[in-house]
Coordinates of all heavy atoms in Angstrom, one line a residue:
G99 N 0.9 11.8 -11.8 CA -0.5 12.4 -12.1 C -0.8 12.1 -13.5 O -0.1 11.7 -14.4
A100 N -2.1 12.6 -13.8 CA -2.6 12.3 -15.2 C -3.5 13.3 -15.6 O -4.2 14.0 -14.7 CB -3.3 10.9 -15.2
T101 N -3.7 13.5 -16.8 CA -4.7 14.4 -17.4 C -5.0 13.9 -18.8 O -4.4 13.0 -19.3 CB -4.2 15.8 -17.5 OG1 -5.3 16.8 -17.8 CG2 -3.1 16.1 -18.4
A102 N -6.0 14.6 -19.5 CA -6.4 14.2 -20.9 C -6.7 15.5 -21.6 O -6.9 16.6 -21.1 CB -7.5 13.2 -21.0
S103 N -6.8 15.3 -22.9 CA -7.3 16.5 -23.8 C -8.3 16.2 -24.8 O -8.7 15.1 -24.9 CB -6.0 16.9 -24.6 OG -5.7 15.9 -25.6
D104 N -8.9 17.2 -25.3 CA -9.9 17.1 -26.3 C -11.2 16.5 -25.9 O -11.7 16.7 -24.8 CB -9.4 16.5 -27.6 CG -8.3 17.3 -28.3 OD1 -8.3 18.5 -28.1 OD2 -7.3 16.7 -28.7
D105 N -11.7 15.4 -26.5 CA -12.9 14.7 -26.1 C -12.7 13.7 -25.0 O -13.6 13.1 -24.4 CB -13.6 14.0 -27.4 CG -13.9 14.9 -28.5 OD1 -14.2 16.1 -28.3 OD2 -13.6 14.5 -29.7
I106 N -11.5 13.2 -24.7 CA -11.2 12.2 -23.8 C -11.0 12.6 -22.4 O -10.3 13.7 -22.2 CB -10.0 11.3 -24.3 CG1 -10.1 10.8 -25.7 CG2 -9.6 10.3 -23.5 CD1 -11.3 9.9 -26.0
V107 N -11.6 11.9 -21.6 CA -11.4 12.1 -20.1 C -10.7 10.8 -19.6 O -11.0 9.6 -19.8 CB -12.8 12.3 -19.4 CG1 -12.6 12.3 -17.9 CG2 -13.4 13.4 -20.0
A108 N -9.7 11.1 -18.7 CA -8.9 10.0 -18.1 C -9.2 9.8 -16.6 O -9.2 10.7 -15.8 CB -7.4 10.2 -18.2
N109 N -9.5 8.5 -16.3 CA -9.8 8.3 -14.9 C -8.8 7.1 -14.4 O -8.8 6.1 -15.1 CB -11.3 7.6 -14.8 CG -12.4 8.7 -15.2 OD1 -12.5 9.8 -14.7 ND2 -13.0 8.3 -16.3
V110 N -8.2 7.4 -13.4 CA -7.2 6.3 -12.9 C -8.0 5.3 -12.1 O -8.8 5.7 -11.2 CB -6.1 7.1 -12.0 CG1 -5.3 6.0 -11.4 CG2 -5.4 8.1 -12.8
L111 N -7.8 4.0 -12.4 CA -8.5 3.0 -11.9 C -7.8 2.3 -10.7 O -8.4 1.7 -9.8 CB -8.9 1.8 -13.0 CG -9.8 2.3 -14.0 CD1 -10.1 1.1 -15.0 CD2 -11.1 2.8 -13.5
D112 N -6.5 2.4 -10.6 CA -5.7 1.8 -9.6 C -5.9 2.5 -8.3 O -5.8 3.8 -8.2 CB -4.2 1.8 -9.9 CG -3.8 0.8 -10.9 OD1 -4.6 -0.2 -11.2 OD2 -2.7 1.0 -11.7
V113 N -6.2 1.8 -7.2 CA -6.4 2.3 -5.9 C -5.2 2.7 -5.3 O -5.1 3.8 -4.6 CB -7.1 1.3 -5.0 CG1 -7.6 1.9 -3.7 CG2 -8.4 0.8 -5.6
N114 N -4.1 2.1 -5.6 CA -2.8 2.4 -5.1 C -1.9 3.4 -5.9 O -0.7 3.4 -5.7 CB -2.0 1.1 -4.8 CG -2.6 0.2 -3.9 OD1 -3.2 0.7 -2.8 ND2 -2.5 -1.1 -4.0
A115 N -2.6 4.2 -6.7 CA -1.8 5.2 -7.6 C -1.0 6.1 -6.6 O -0.1 6.8 -7.1 CB -2.8 5.9 -8.4
R116 N -1.6 6.4 -5.5 CA -0.8 7.3 -4.6 C 0.5 6.8 -4.1 O 1.4 7.5 -3.6 CB -1.8 7.7 -3.3 CG -3.2 8.3 -3.7 CD -3.9 8.5 -2.4 NE -4.1 7.3 -1.7 CZ -5.2 6.4 -2.0 NH1 -5.9 6.7 -3.0 NH2 -5.3 5.4 -1.3
A117 N 0.7 5.5 -4.3 CA 2.0 4.9 -3.7 C 3.1 5.1 -4.6 O 4.2 4.5 -4.5 CB 1.7 3.4 -3.6
R118 N 2.9 6.0 -5.7 CA 4.0 6.4 -6.6 C 4.6 5.1 -7.2 O 5.8 4.9 -7.2 CB 5.2 7.1 -5.9 CG 4.7 8.4 -5.3 CD 5.9 9.3 -4.9 NE 5.5 10.4 -4.1 CZ 5.1 11.5 -4.5 NH1 5.0 11.8 -5.8 NH2 4.8 12.6 -3.7
T119 N 3.7 4.4 -7.9 CA 4.1 3.2 -8.7 C 4.5 3.6 -10.1 O 4.3 4.8 -10.5 CB 2.7 2.3 -8.9 OG1 1.7 3.0 -9.5 CG2 2.4 1.8 -7.5
R120 N 5.1 2.6 -10.8 CA 5.7 2.9 -12.2 C 4.5 3.0 -13.2 O 4.6 3.8 -14.1 CB 6.7 1.9 -12.4 CG 7.3 2.2 -13.8 CD 8.6 1.4 -14.0 NE 9.0 1.7 -15.4 CZ 9.2 0.7 -16.2 NH1 9.2 -0.6 -15.8 NH2 9.7 0.9 -17.4
S121 N 3.5 2.3 -13.0 CA 2.4 2.3 -14.1 C 1.0 2.2 -13.3 O 0.9 1.7 -12.1 CB 2.5 1.0 -14.8 OG 2.3 -0.1 -14.2
V122 N 0.0 2.7 -13.9 CA -1.3 2.8 -13.5 C -2.3 2.4 -14.6 O -2.0 2.5 -15.8 CB -1.7 4.2 -13.0 CG1 -0.9 4.6 -11.8 CG2 -1.7 5.1 -14.0
L123 N -3.4 1.8 -14.1 CA -4.5 1.5 -15.1 C -5.4 2.6 -15.3 O -5.9 3.3 -14.3 CB -5.2 0.3 -14.7 CG -6.3 -0.3 -15.5 CD1 -5.6 -0.9 -16.8 CD2 -7.1 -1.4 -14.8
V124 N -5.7 3.1 -16.6 CA -6.4 4.3 -16.8 C -7.6 3.9 -17.6 O -7.5 3.0 -18.6 CB -5.6 5.3 -17.6 CG1 -6.4 6.5 -18.1 CG2 -4.4 5.8 -16.8
L125 N -8.8 4.5 -17.4 CA -10.0 4.3 -18.2 C -10.1 5.6 -19.0 O -10.4 6.7 -18.4 CB -11.2 4.1 -17.3 CG -12.6 3.9 -18.0 CD1 -12.4 2.6 -18.8 CD2 -13.7 3.8 -17.0

Protein backbone atom coordinates (compact mmCIF):
# COMPACT_ATOMS: atom_id res chain seq x y z
CA GLY A 1 0.00 0.00 0.00
CA ALA A 2 0.93 3.67 -0.23
CA THR A 3 0.07 7.01 1.34
CA ALA A 4 1.49 10.53 1.49
CA SER A 5 1.70 13.45 3.91
CA ASP A 6 1.48 17.25 4.00
CA ASP A 7 1.07 18.92 0.56
CA ILE A 8 1.95 15.81 -1.49
CA VAL A 9 -0.53 13.26 -2.85
CA ALA A 10 0.69 9.83 -4.04
CA ASN A 11 -0.94 8.09 -7.00
CA VAL A 12 0.18 4.57 -7.93
CA LEU A 13 0.66 4.36 -11.71
CA ASP A 14 1.39 0.64 -12.05
CA VAL A 15 -1.67 -1.30 -13.14
CA ASN A 16 -0.30 -4.54 -11.66
CA ALA A 17 0.31 -3.12 -8.16
CA ARG A 18 -2.29 -5.58 -6.84
CA ALA A 19 0.05 -8.42 -7.83
CA ARG A 20 2.22 -7.77 -4.74
CA THR A 21 5.25 -6.67 -6.70
CA ARG A 22 8.44 -5.43 -5.08
CA SER A 23 8.30 -1.95 -6.60
CA VAL A 24 5.67 0.39 -8.00
CA LEU A 25 5.74 3.59 -10.01
CA VAL A 26 4.31 6.51 -8.02
CA LEU A 27 3.24 9.95 -9.24
